[in-house]
């Protein structure tokens, strides 16, 4: 007979004693269980004790999290969080440097536990730490020469404890003084500073900027881009990552009117070229966190274009109209301007109208009207002027080449530029906030100060080339734009390292090549629609689905590393989850760092029997997506979220690292529960594998037309004399 669901068998340790095996009744109050354990070892004052996990996490057991205790868990009897917090509060104020250092080390470790953190914060522990940072460092400054390692470790542990305590979101960031901000900023501004201190100081500044508008203003006064640049020129990728994170935070929280000013400062300090040299082209792999920060910087930089993208042209604004005049002047370079006499006014208007038609504007009389649609608004005109001035030969060639054609195959430069700008803004998601999980940065955009404009210049020449290859007319405009979008998207997926490499990728993606790719994809997807083939598909589909199911379960057995995220700041904290080889238990647990390869089952302290899983929910239905917070509103995070519901009101919450892992896990979990696998990945895999299997089975029928209906069965013969009787 199986044990009752409320009874959990655990082992409990106590220093200097043999571990005790006991059954915990989850219906009993936790205080009663602790008293029972204390009585077993003859320990008085049970209220001064608590239970905690004996693994590396050392998290306390509370009434809130006690349901996470599973059979076979090893617990430890220890002093209560309140007692521990009180003792550490006193120890970190010790006059002995060694005792103080040891206490701060313990505090940095214990502060990860929210139960301990709450008790320590209740003792005004945050204020004590900030005072130590503000004033204590001066006191030990004199000792720094003779005991520099001790001083560095002490400050490092102090800042680590502060970061961990603040990360729980119990205390508001708005409560900190200018003196504390100045002190943290001073650690960042010093040229020679201990790596761990610098790293934590940068993390604190990032959190201050992201979580408080008032602190943003104070930090912005203390930290300049020029002071952050040297940290990017080092070789420590973590320091570089935190430095870019601080720059991104300052960029993100800057008022709209200050963002362009900040972008100009970044350009003056040559931030882009420094990142390109010391980060992107450094002789080492870029980790996920760095890739994310580069992606955020890329998005924030492109978002500076949003203002121009959403600005309509004012037909009465002479300065804006002068840009159109300049486009016309560069293209046609009128040899002689008409005299300003009243008699030539009609002639001038007629000439302008003719030239604007050659430039490919929809409204020949007043082309300013073409730029009243947003997006792309004035951004399209900016791009056209940049192309005309910086790639003048190509601009003149495209305009004259198309204006001299009379076969209705001319490519309208003006209309094309406007639609292309709009399309490029959609591809690069200009105006959208950066995702919390995306790492999709493009190295080529860090190779030029005007990367978007150069991107446009390459693509407008591609559009003109594709137009000619398609022998398109104005009726084919949308078709051409679709082909160009496909060419650009396919070239971007290869992550070219420079704009020149991007250009060469596009050279290989001619219209003919796109047709071949489309034809190949059609062959794979659509060429088997006859009835016999459909019947064959239906017959072998269950085999393919079983194959996909096994692959999903095998991937769950390998496991995945998930990142812990919260709405306060992006964390370098990880947890791992994997399925047991017999498909009966999910093993999971926290990790100190992202693992290299698989994580063994025995190093994952928590278990969840598959039989206990009640349901798998995704997106908005996930409990952790219903909480309030900036992160929870992010559309991309919402698309990667899923939760396992088990027992009563218990859940295991996930945010997948990418869409592929999301599909793998939701498919695998649904397969474990005997439900259909409904992800996009399953549909794609099913289509691909079905197509391959059918092609293999039809190899012997190559070039043979398969009829839609089976051949008719012939009539019975009049006699069976031809049958040979063996008997």
């Amino acid at each position: 007979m199986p044990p009752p669901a409320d009874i959990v068998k655990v082992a409990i340790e106590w220093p200097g004693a043999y571990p005790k095996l006991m059954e915990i009744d989850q219906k009993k109050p936790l205080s009663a269980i602790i008293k029972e354990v204390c009585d077993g070892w003859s320990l008085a004052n049970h209220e001064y004790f608590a239970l905690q996990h004996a693994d590396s996490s050392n998290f306390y057991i509370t009434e809130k999290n006690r349901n996470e205790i599973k059979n076979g868990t090893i617990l430890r009897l220890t002093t209560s969080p309140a007692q521990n917090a009180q003792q550490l509060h006193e120890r970190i104020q010790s006059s002995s440097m060694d005792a103080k250092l040891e206490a701060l080390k313990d505090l940095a470790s214990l502060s990860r536990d929210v139960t301990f953190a709450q008790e320590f914060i209740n003792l005004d522990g945050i204020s004590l730490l900030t005072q130590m940072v503000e004033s204590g460092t001066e006191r030990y400054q004199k000792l720094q020469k003779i005991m520099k390692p001790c001083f560095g470790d002490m400050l490092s542990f102090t800042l680590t404890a502060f970061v961990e305590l603040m990360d729980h979101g119990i205390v508001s960031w708005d409560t900190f003084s200018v003196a504390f901000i100045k002190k943290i900023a001073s650690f960042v501004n010093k040229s020679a500073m201990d790596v761990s201190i610098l790293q934590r100081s940068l993390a604190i500044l990032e959190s201050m900027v992201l979580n408080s508008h008032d602190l943003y203003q104070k930090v912005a006064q203390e930290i300049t881009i020029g002071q952050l640049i040297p940290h990017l020129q080092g070789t420590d990728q973590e320091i570089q990552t935190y430095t870019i994170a601080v720059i991104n935070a300052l960029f993100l929280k800057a008022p709209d009117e200050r963002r362009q000013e900040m972008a100009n400062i970044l350009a003056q300090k040559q931030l882009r070229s420094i990142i390109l040299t010391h980060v992107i082209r450094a002789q080492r792999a870029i980790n996920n966190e760095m890739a994310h920060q580069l992606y955020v910087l890329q998005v924030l930089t492109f978002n500076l274009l949003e203002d121009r993208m959403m600005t309509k042209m004012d037909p009465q604004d002479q300065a804006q109209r002068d840009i159109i005049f300049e486009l016309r002047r560069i293209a046609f370079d009128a040899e002689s301007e008409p005299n300003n006499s009243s008699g030539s006014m009609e002639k001038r208007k007629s000439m302008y109208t003719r030239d604007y038609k050659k430039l490919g504007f929809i409204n020949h009389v007043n082309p300013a009207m073409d730029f009243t649609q947003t997006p792309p608004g004035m951004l399209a005109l900016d791009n056209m002027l940049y192309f005309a001035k910086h790639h003048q030969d190509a601009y003149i060639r495209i305009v004259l080449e198309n204006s001299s054609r009379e076969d209705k195959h001319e490519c309208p430069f003006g209309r094309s530029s406007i639609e292309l700008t709009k399309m490029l803004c959609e591809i690069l998601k200009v105006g959208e906030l950066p995702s919390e999980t995306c790492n999709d940065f493009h190295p080529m955009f860090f190779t030029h100060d005007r990367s978007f404009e150069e991107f446009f210049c390459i693509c407008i020449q591609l559009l003109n080339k594709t137009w000619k290859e398609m022998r398109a007319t104005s009726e084919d405009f949308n078709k051409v734009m679709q082909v160009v979008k496909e060419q650009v998207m396919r070239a971007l997926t290869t992550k070219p390292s420079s704009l020149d490499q991007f250009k060469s990728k596009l050279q290989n993606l001619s219209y003919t090549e796109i047709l071949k790719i489309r034809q190949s994809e059609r062959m794979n997807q659509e060429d088997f629609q006859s009835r016999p083939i459909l019947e064959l598909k239906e017959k072998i589909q269950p085999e393919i689905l079983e194959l996909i199911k096994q692959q999903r379960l095998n991937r769950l057995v390998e496991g995945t590393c998930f990142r812990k995220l919260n709405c306060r700041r992006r964390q370098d904290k990880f947890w791992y989850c994997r399925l047991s080889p017999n498909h009966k238990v999910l093993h999971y647990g926290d990790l100190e760092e992202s693992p290299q390869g698989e994580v063994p089952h025995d190093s994952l302290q928590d278990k969840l029997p598959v039989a206990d899983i009640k349901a798998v929910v995704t997106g908005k239905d996930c409990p952790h997506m219903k909480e309030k917070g900036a992160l929870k509103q992010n559309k991309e995070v919402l698309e990667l979220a899923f939760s396992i519901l088990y027992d009563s009101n218990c859940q295991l919450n996930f945010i997948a690292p990418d869409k592929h892992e999301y599909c793998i896990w939701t498919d695998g979990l649904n397969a474990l529960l005997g439900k259909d696998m409904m992800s996009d990945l399953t549909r794609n895999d099913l289509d691909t594998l079905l197509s391959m299997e059918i092609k293999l089975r039809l190899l012997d029928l190559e070039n043979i037309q398969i009829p839609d209906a089976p051949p008719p069965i012939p009539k019975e013969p009049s006699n069976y004399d031809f049958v040979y009787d063996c008997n």
Side-chain angles (χ1 to χ4, degrees):
M1 181 177 174
D6 295 318
I7 302 298
V8 183
K9 295 181 179 181
V10 299
I12 300 179
E13 299 175 342
W14 172 249
Y18 286 110
K20 182 180 290 187
L21 297 174
M22 69 178 292
E23 294 183 349
I24 291 179
D25 186 350
Q26 292 284 38
K27 290 182 178 177
K28 286 173 68 174
L30 193 57
S31 57
I33 295 169
I34 293 170
K35 184 177 186 306
E36 185 182 334
V37 175
C38 290
D39 290 347
W41 275 309
S42 303
L43 298 171
N45 302 320
H46 73 275
E47 62 272 13
Y48 293 154
F49 291 91
L51 292 172
Q52 66 179 179
H53 288 282
D55 55 31
S56 58
S57 71
N58 292 330
F59 287 169
Y60 281 100
I61 304 298
T62 63
E63 290 291 353
K64 285 185 177 179
N65 65 19
R66 63 183 294 178
N67 287 329
E68 294 175 11
I69 302 173
K70 305 298 178 188
N71 283 315
T73 302
I74 301 174
L75 304 178
R76 183 189 299 121
L77 185 67
T78 185
T79 50
S80 69
Q83 283 289 104
N84 222 342
Q86 183 65 51
Q87 291 169 9
L88 275 173
H89 194 273
E90 294 167 3
R91 285 170 57 202
I92 61 175
Q93 299 178 74
S94 169
S95 56
S96 165
M97 293 288 283
D98 289 338
K100 194 185 192 81
L101 180 63
E102 198 60 36
L104 286 167
K105 185 177 181 180
D106 291 343
L107 179 63
S109 174
L110 284 166
S111 295
R112 291 179 301 162
D113 183 1
V114 66
T115 311
F116 170 84
Q118 184 69 69
E119 296 293 344
F120 188 78
I121 289 168
N122 290 343
L123 297 171
D124 210 15
I126 293 280
S127 297
L128 178 59
L129 292 178
T130 54
Q131 286 168 18
M132 289 172 64
V133 172
E134 287 174 29
S135 58
T137 49
E138 273 94 359
R139 202 170 75 199
Y140 301 118
Q141 209 78 27
K142 297 172 185 176
L143 302 171
Q144 194 172 354
K145 287 186 180 178
I146 56 174
M147 51 192 311
K148 189 172 181 180
C150 180
F151 168 79
D153 289 345
M154 192 176 294
L155 184 54
S156 174
F157 288 134
T158 304
L159 294 176
T160 301
F162 176 83
V163 169
E164 295 290 354
L165 290 167
M166 290 303 298
D167 194 40
H168 296 297
I170 299 168
V171 178
S172 168
W173 282 93
D174 288 309
T175 56
F176 298 107
S177 65
V178 175
F180 179 70
I181 297 168
K182 284 179 180 289
K183 182 58 66 177
I184 297 296
S186 72
F187 300 147
V188 173
N189 293 338
K190 284 180 184 173
S191 56
M193 179 53 69
D194 182 82
V195 170
S196 59
I197 294 172
L198 179 58
Q199 183 178 314
R200 284 153 185 77
S201 299
L202 288 166
I204 291 169
L205 291 176
E206 182 200 1
S207 294
M208 284 179 171
V209 172
L210 290 176
N211 291 285
S212 167
H213 178 68
D214 290 340
L215 288 186
Y216 155 73
Q217 294 176 320
K218 292 170 184 174
V219 170
Q221 290 171 0
E222 298 297 326
I223 293 288
T224 65
I225 300 300
Q227 290 161 331
L228 292 171
I229 292 291
H231 300 312
L232 289 172
Q233 294 172 316
T235 56
D236 190 310
Q237 191 169 114
E238 279 201 43
I239 296 298
Q240 291 175 324
T241 303
Y242 277 102
T243 303
I244 297 176
V246 172
I247 293 171
N248 286 339
L250 289 167
F251 215 141
L252 190 62
K253 292 298 177 179
D256 291 343
E257 63 274 9
R258 279 218 58 207
R259 281 186 189 167
Q260 190 59 56
E261 179 188 333
M262 189 175 170
N264 295 337
I265 294 170
L266 295 179
Q268 288 171 11
K269 298 294 181 182
Q270 296 186 315
L271 176 72
R272 178 199 57 75
S273 60
I274 289 169
I275 289 175
L276 183 67
T277 304
H278 295 279
V279 178
I280 296 174
R281 291 181 178 169
Q283 298 300 312
R284 61 173 182 270
I286 292 176
N287 61 33
N288 285 340
E289 181 62 23
M290 174 60 86
H292 171 75
Q293 294 300 342
L294 291 172
Y295 152 78
V296 172
L297 183 59
Q298 173 185 293
V299 171
L300 294 176
T301 305
F302 284 144
N303 280 357
L304 292 170
L305 303 169
E306 184 183 12
D307 183 50
R308 294 293 282 173
M309 181 181 80
M310 299 309 293
T311 301
K312 294 181 180 181
M313 186 171 184
D314 180 1
Q316 307 306 317
D317 189 317
Q318 188 58 44
Q320 294 179 1
R321 293 174 66 189
D322 285 346
I323 298 174
I324 298 177
F325 292 150
E326 181 68 5
L327 288 173
R328 177 194 159 279
R329 186 195 66 76
I330 294 172
F332 303 111
D333 194 24
E335 294 175 5
S336 58
E337 288 291 330
N339 296 326
N340 290 327
S341 61
S342 57
S344 65
M345 186 64 71
E346 288 300 319
K347 186 179 178 184
R348 184 192 301 177
K349 281 185 179 180
S350 171
M351 182 180 67
Y352 280 5
T353 300
R354 186 192 68 231
D355 289 348
Y356 291 147
K357 183 178 181 181
K358 289 180 179 179
L359 277 169
F361 289 113
I362 297 173
N363 193 316
H364 309 149
V365 178
N366 186 5
M369 299 303 295
D370 287 16
F371 300 95
T372 54
Q373 179 192 357
T374 58
M378 288 295 292
L379 184 60
L381 189 57
D382 294 344
N383 283 339
M384 292 166 73
L385 184 64
Y386 181 90
F387 181 51
K389 285 190 169 182
H390 294 84
H391 299 270
Q392 194 165 320
D393 290 345
Y395 168 70
I396 293 171
R397 177 176 55 77
I398 287 174
V399 172
L400 295 183
E401 189 178 85
N402 287 290
S403 63
S404 61
R405 300 186 68 156
E406 295 182 1
D407 55 1
K408 296 185 179 180
H409 290 291
E410 69 276 1
C411 176
F413 173 74
R415 183 185 175 191
S416 298
S417 298
I418 292 167
E419 288 302 317
L420 180 64
T421 301
K422 183 179 178 182
M423 185 184 82
L424 297 182
C425 287
E426 288 172 0
I427 290 173
L428 298 176
K429 300 181 179 178
V430 174
E432 293 186 22
L433 284 175
S435 160
E436 284 284 345
T437 56
C438 186
N439 303 330
D440 189 24
F441 82 97
H442 293 277
M444 73 177 194
F445 291 129
F446 290 86
T447 62
H448 201 286
D449 289 325
R450 304 288 294 273
S451 57
F452 183 80
E453 289 87 343
E454 288 293 325
F455 185 43
F456 168 84
C457 293
I458 293 170
C459 293
I460 192 65
Q461 293 177 74
L462 168 73
L463 192 153
N464 187 63
K465 173 174 168 283
T466 303
W467 185 283
K468 288 192 289 185
E469 289 172 350
M470 292 177 67
R471 292 194 53 78
T473 63
S474 56
E475 286 81 14
D476 302 317
F477 188 86
N478 290 334
K479 290 180 185 176
V480 176
M481 293 306 296
Q482 287 171 8
V483 172
V484 170
K485 184 172 185 177
E486 188 172 345
Q487 289 170 314
V488 172
M489 294 288 282
R490 288 184 183 276
L492 284 177
T493 54
T494 64
K495 293 290 179 73
S497 58
S498 67
L499 289 163
D500 285 338
Q501 198 177 93
F502 174 68
K503 195 185 295 185
S504 65
K505 296 279 184 189
L506 290 175
Q507 290 292 332
N508 297 328
L509 283 169
S510 63
Y511 176 58
T512 307
E513 187 62 29
I514 292 292
L515 284 180
K516 286 180 183 176
I517 293 170
R518 287 181 174 181
Q519 181 69 17
S520 173
E521 289 175 352
R522 257 199 310 274
M523 286 283 292
N524 289 336
Q525 294 171 9
E526 299 172 5
D527 276 6
F528 303 109
Q529 298 303 318
S530 65
R531 188 176 150 196
I533 302 299
L534 292 175
E535 287 177 1
L536 180 59
K537 272 187 180 181
E538 199 174 316
K539 183 179 178 182
I540 63 177
Q541 184 165 314
E543 299 173 28
I544 303 295
L545 283 172
E546 183 61 29
L547 183 67
I548 294 171
K549 175 183 171 182
Q550 290 306 316
Q551 187 271 340
R552 300 294 191 263
L553 294 177
N554 289 341
R555 279 288 290 105
L556 264 60
V557 170
E558 290 175 19
T560 301
C561 179
F562 296 92
R563 186 185 292 276
K564 286 190 171 183
L565 296 174
N566 59 40
C567 60
R568 293 180 293 282
R569 69 184 179 95
R570 189 177 168 91
Q571 295 296 307
D572 279 317
K573 292 184 178 179
F574 304 91
W575 68 287
Y576 200 88
C577 188
R578 63 179 298 181
L579 182 66
S580 62
N582 63 4
H583 300 172
K584 291 186 177 180
V585 179
L586 282 171
H587 298 263
Y588 62 96
D590 293 340
L591 300 176
E592 292 299 321
E593 57 185 1
S594 183
Q596 302 298 320
E598 290 184 25
V599 175
H601 293 101
D602 50 15
S603 66
L604 301 173
Q605 61 271 27
D606 297 309
K607 298 178 183 178
L608 172 59
V610 172
D612 290 351
I613 298 177
K614 299 288 188 291
V616 176
V617 293
T618 60
K620 293 178 182 177
D621 296 327
C622 295
H624 58 315
M625 291 294 109
K626 293 177 181 176
E627 300 167 16
K628 291 182 179 178
L631 171 68
K632 311 302 182 251
Q633 307 305 321
N634 190 293
K635 181 185 173 186
E636 288 197 37
V637 172
L638 205 63
E639 291 175 350
L640 298 175
F642 62 98
S643 297
I644 295 173
L645 308 182
Y646 64 97
D647 291 347
S648 54
N649 299 321
C650 294
Q651 68 267 341
L652 192 59
N653 297 322
F654 299 76
I655 295 177
D658 51 49
K659 192 68 177 176
H660 183 267
E661 286 297 320
Y662 169 84
C663 293
I664 291 287
W665 274 85
T666 51
D667 282 345
L669 292 170
N670 280 323
L672 285 172
L673 298 178
K675 296 182 179 178
D676 292 337
M677 299 179 291
M678 305 297 292
S679 75
D680 293 339
L681 185 62
T682 292
R683 282 196 289 273
N684 292 337
D685 286 352
L686 181 62
D687 289 344
T688 303
L689 292 171
L690 268 176
S691 174
M692 289 172 62
E693 182 66 21
I694 287 173
K695 283 182 178 179
L696 285 171
R697 295 195 182 198
L698 297 180
L699 277 176
D700 292 337
L701 296 177
E702 194 172 356
N703 298 325
I704 294 176
Q705 183 68 36
I706 300 173
D708 288 337
I713 299 172
K715 293 180 181 179
E716 287 190 28
S718 56
N719 64 68
Y720 292 87
D721 294 344
F722 58 86
V723 176
Y724 178 72
D725 189 355
C726 296
N727 298 322

